[in-house]
Amino acid sequence: METIKLIVGLANPGPQYQDTRHNAGAWFVTELARQQGCTLSSESRFYGETARIQYQGSDLRLLIPSTFMNRSGQAIAALANFYKIEPESILIAHDELDIPAGSARYKKGGGHGGHNGLRDSVAQLGNNSNFHRLRIGIGHPGHASQVTNYVLGKPSADDRTSIDHCIDEALRTLPDAVNGDWAKAMNQLHSYKQG
């Protein structure tokens, strides 16, 4: 049973990126912290904002890197190495172009799929990609040439509502995921349909 000890929400720093699609992973961690009644605080040695919570009987650390997306792994590796957290005990929440807004998927391991935050995370974790991912769908603009502007743009009001509802559903499945019951967590999240 692989239990989760660290949950990371990928993002770009600064108010200009706060509401952009690329920050969907951070929206998830921010909402988790809010529901748990804790505040993320800046910690320079971990290059990000962190918190520690007791969750489902587990000691769980939260992290939103304050590096730019393509340096996300620097923050993740710094915290994971300090607390001796194996990649298999890390869940990284990130935006996913290949999934429509309003859907999310859990996944373990695999490639980075062109996502710069995941690419750097794999590299900084010693080329180990065996961490878990929460892929939060943001939809695709339709052509590769439009991707950069799309992920750095704000979703429509409807898409943002769909993403927020999906994040709420992911949080409902999180207890099973954190405790290592991935089959149950996946079954619930992957069958989620917005009403």
Side-chain angles (χ1 to χ4, degrees):
M1 286 282 268
E2 290 169 359
T3 57
I4 296 300
K5 297 186 174 75
L6 169 60
I7 299 180
V8 183
L10 297 188
N12 276 312
Q16 70 272 39
Y17 294 112
Q18 197 171 333
D19 296 320
T20 62
R21 294 179 180 92
H22 224 12
N23 281 30
W27 300 343
F28 174 79
V29 171
T30 301
E31 181 59 17
L32 172 59
R34 190 193 68 75
Q35 289 186 10
Q36 295 297 310
C38 78
T39 306
L40 293 148
S41 54
S42 186
E43 203 153 349
S44 58
R45 65 180 167 163
F46 299 137
Y47 308 99
E49 295 185 349
T50 68
R52 180 182 181 186
I53 59 174
Q54 291 299 311
Y55 185 83
Q56 299 292 310
S58 298
D59 193 23
L60 190 59
R61 296 192 181 271
L62 309 180
L63 171 67
I64 298 176
S66 53
T67 56
F68 277 94
M69 186 65 80
N70 61 356
R71 299 292 295 132
S72 300
Q74 180 182 18
I76 297 168
L79 194 147
N81 291 338
F82 186 85
Y83 292 113
K84 299 181 171 43
I85 298 172
E86 296 297 320
E88 292 78 7
S89 295
I90 300 173
L91 173 65
I92 299 179
H94 65 90
D95 57 303
E96 177 58 69
L97 287 159
D98 296 332
I99 299 174
S103 296
R105 298 281 181 270
Y106 285 116
K107 179 182 178 186
K108 185 184 179 207
H112 54 69
H115 193 293
N116 289 333
L118 293 179
R119 179 186 281 119
D120 192 57
S121 300
V122 171
Q124 296 286 339
L125 291 168
N127 285 324
N128 186 331
S129 63
N130 284 333
F131 49 84
H132 296 267
R133 300 106 189 268
L134 172 62
R135 304 161 71 209
I136 300 168
I138 59 168
H140 198 286
H143 194 275
S145 66
Q146 299 170 313
V147 163
T148 300
N149 286 338
Y150 182 77
V151 298
L152 295 178
K154 295 182 180 183
S156 68
D158 284 351
D159 275 4
R160 179 65 198 252
T161 298
S162 295
I163 292 167
D164 287 344
H165 286 172
C166 192
I167 284 172
D168 288 341
E169 182 66 16
L171 286 165
R172 283 190 279 275
T173 70
L174 193 62
D176 290 319
V178 165
N179 289 322
D181 193 346
W182 289 100
K184 188 174 176 190
M186 284 181 177
N187 189 39
Q188 182 179 337
L189 184 61
H190 297 189
S191 60
Y192 170 66
K193 295 278 186 292
Q194 298 208 11

